[in-house]
Amino acid sequence: MQSKLEDFWRGARWIILGDQSTVSDPNKPTGIRRRAMLFSLIASILIWLMLSLSENYYLPVEYTTCATQTQEISSACISGIDEDSVLSNPLPETIRATLYGPGISLLVQRFRARYLSSPITFSPDAGMLDTQLLLRIPEELSIESIFPEKIYFQKEAKIERRIPIESRVTFVSQPPHFFVGEHQLNPDTILVSGPTSIVSQITSWPTEADTVVGASDTVYYEVTLVDSLSGWIRKETNNTVVRKFAPQYTEGQIEQVRVEIQGLSNANNTVQLEPRFVTITYQVPLEKFHEARQSQVIRAFVSYTQIYSDTTGRVEPRIEYPPELMLRQVTLSPNRLRYYMNIGAQ
């Protein structure tokens, strides 16, 4: 091979330069000298490539299978699978092999695997398949490693179930908006199908974990369902929309609220609070501002049990209000009260 390259090189130089003894002649036209330099560079690169690609190398190659084309394995992908059956184990989407051999053969094999070959199909008749038999590797190449080495085919009855979707979305309020109530999902259930042994154990299907910031009255957010059982289970959808209300809040206040004492008859004659009146401050949705301000059911109270068991001389009142007011950040001023016991009246 080396002699052929030398003959080719001499012939090419003669065509471009003519008599080789005049290569360095300053009277030689400049264009010829430039073409000679360019030809020499290109020829050197080609010779280097030819010599390099004739050496042996290791090269990883991926072969796609028909499992990459659809979520549900069809009879076109696996012969002998009917509509009521499914494989217990998922098929690999790719077969990864490390090949060893001449560089040019390795490059051709990678090009064929990526662009020319059809996805690999399967026949589960034998129950187990050695993946090396699927690749049809040329004789000049050897397989150094392959994954998976074997594919096991075990058929199982297929079932369908509709299960609830579990949201893993965290809602973070951004004042003046605050999230209220429970979130809603659309859809809130999903139809799944797959092997009976797996589908029968699924109680819910979670979404991806994510965080949503409330910056409007109603927040809609599309979230992806987790794909941890890809290959085993087929889902009718991959996404759901989470909706939650985040109304705009404003501050409200009720002054001179009398603190009640619960759990003791004639409590006002037995226990005296100091002060007896407090101010309640809260955050309330704009549309409920007037309702909350005029409401007579926002109450402050302490129980006699609190007073009886206290050892500090001060008690902290509790606040009670209807949940439909959707109050947030409710505070009292003052938040702790002194008390005096009237022993004679007890």
Side-chain angles (χ1 to χ4, degrees), residues 235-292:
K235 310 188 298 293
E236 67 175 342
T237 182
N238 292 317
N239 302 280
T240 187
V241 176
V242 185
R243 182 181 70 170
K244 194 166 186 178
F245 296 106
Q248 185 173 348
Y249 273 68
T250 187
E251 184 178 283
Q253 191 177 82
I254 302 179
E255 299 177 346
Q256 294 296 304
V257 177
R258 186 183 182 92
V259 181
E260 305 173 20
I261 302 175
Q262 295 181 337
L264 183 67
S265 59
N266 197 25
N268 290 331
N269 294 330
T270 305
V271 182
Q272 180 179 349
L273 298 175
E274 181 63 35
R276 291 181 297 172
F277 296 91
V278 295
T279 298
I280 301 178
T281 304
Y282 49 81
Q283 294 288 328
V284 61
L286 284 176
E287 64 271 17
K288 295 182 177 292
F289 177 79
H290 294 292
E291 179 183 353

Side-chain angles (χ1 to χ4, degrees), residues 25-37:
D25 187 352
N27 296 323
K28 189 70 107 176
T30 304
I32 294 180
R33 290 203 301 272
R34 289 179 178 174
R35 289 198 301 269
M37 294 175 61

Side-chain angles (χ1 to χ4, degrees), residues 81-82 84-88 154-158 194-196 232:
I81 294 290
D82 54 47
D84 298 328
S85 301
V86 68
L87 294 179
S88 301
Q154 182 178 355
K155 291 188 289 186
E156 187 177 341
K158 180 175 68 174
T196 303
W232 275 284

